[in-house]
């Protein structure tokens, strides 16, 4: 049995996690068993997913298989983007500089701030009445 050459990486954004596999292929994107266009209904989300491969000009060299869970579609798209970027650096370390300069290897640490006790929300307070 021939071993399939593939590159595996994990991407995260907010509460979304994506396990990404890059396999030699024609540029297909498969997310949770569905095509990328069917899973991410908006074209802008697919542009986000494909952006690291477009930047490094590898969009027709690899098929992307991603297993995603948690978060919403936008966070999942960003998680897949980070996973693809990390997997591309495993494929070719020379691509790291290009991806780093484009900001694709930086994990976006922004997440929802927790609600605090004695307040209405994370920052919003209950209405104050002097009299």
């Amino acid at each position: 049995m021939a071993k399939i050459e593939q590159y595996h990486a994990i991407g995260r954004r907010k509460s979304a996690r994506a396990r990404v596999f890059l396999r030699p292929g024609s540029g297909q994107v498969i997310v949770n068993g569905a095509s990328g266009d069917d899973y991410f209904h908006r074209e802008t989300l697919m542009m986000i997913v494909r952006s690291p491969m477009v930047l490094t000009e590898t969009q027709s060299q690899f098929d992307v298989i991603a297993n995603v869970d948690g978060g919403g579609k936008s966070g999942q798209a960003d998680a897949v983007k980070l996973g693809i970027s990390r997997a591309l650096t495993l494929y070719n370390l020379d691509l790291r500089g290009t991806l780093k300069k484009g900001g694709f290897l930086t994990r976006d640490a922004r997440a929802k701030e927790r609600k605090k006790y004695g307040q209405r929300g994370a920052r919003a307070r209950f209405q104050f009445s002097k009299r």
Side-chain angles (χ1 to χ4, degrees):
M1 188 168 117
K3 187 177 178 209
I4 299 172
E5 185 179 352
Q6 68 179 3
Y7 304 94
H8 172 257
I10 294 174
R12 295 181 193 89
R13 169 77 170 98
K14 291 188 172 182
S15 60
R17 289 167 308 283
R19 292 189 325 238
V20 177
F21 300 90
L22 286 186
R23 295 180 183 160
S26 58
Q28 273 188 304
V29 177
I30 298 166
V31 182
N32 288 354
S35 77
D37 293 316
D38 291 340
Y39 188 80
F40 296 117
H41 301 292
R42 297 198 321 250
E43 184 58 36
T44 53
L45 295 179
M46 278 309 293
M47 283 172 50
I48 289 169
V49 168
R50 288 192 181 107
S51 56
M53 298 178 82
V54 170
L55 180 71
T56 56
E57 297 172 2
T58 55
Q59 61 263 42
S60 60
Q61 293 180 18
F62 294 105
D63 286 341
V64 177
I65 294 99
N67 296 322
V68 186
D69 66 321
K73 298 284 184 186
S74 182
Q76 289 177 352
D78 278 335
V80 172
K81 177 181 83 168
L82 180 61
I84 291 172
S85 302
R86 287 177 172 175
L88 282 171
T89 59
L90 295 175
Y91 159 69
N92 184 354
L93 206 56
D94 296 337
L95 299 176
R96 183 173 170 79
T98 310
L99 290 166
K100 188 81 170 158
K101 199 172 286 182
F104 290 104
L105 292 176
T106 306
R107 202 280 201 199
D108 192 345
R110 293 177 297 166
K112 185 173 179 176
E113 191 174 331
R114 70 174 288 273
K115 180 198 171 297
K116 277 72 165 201
Y117 54 86
Q119 295 178 197
R120 198 165 43 85
R123 306 244 173 131
R125 312 300 202 260
F126 290 117
Q127 188 171 14
F128 174 73
S129 174
K130 201 174 244 185
R131 288 174 187 85

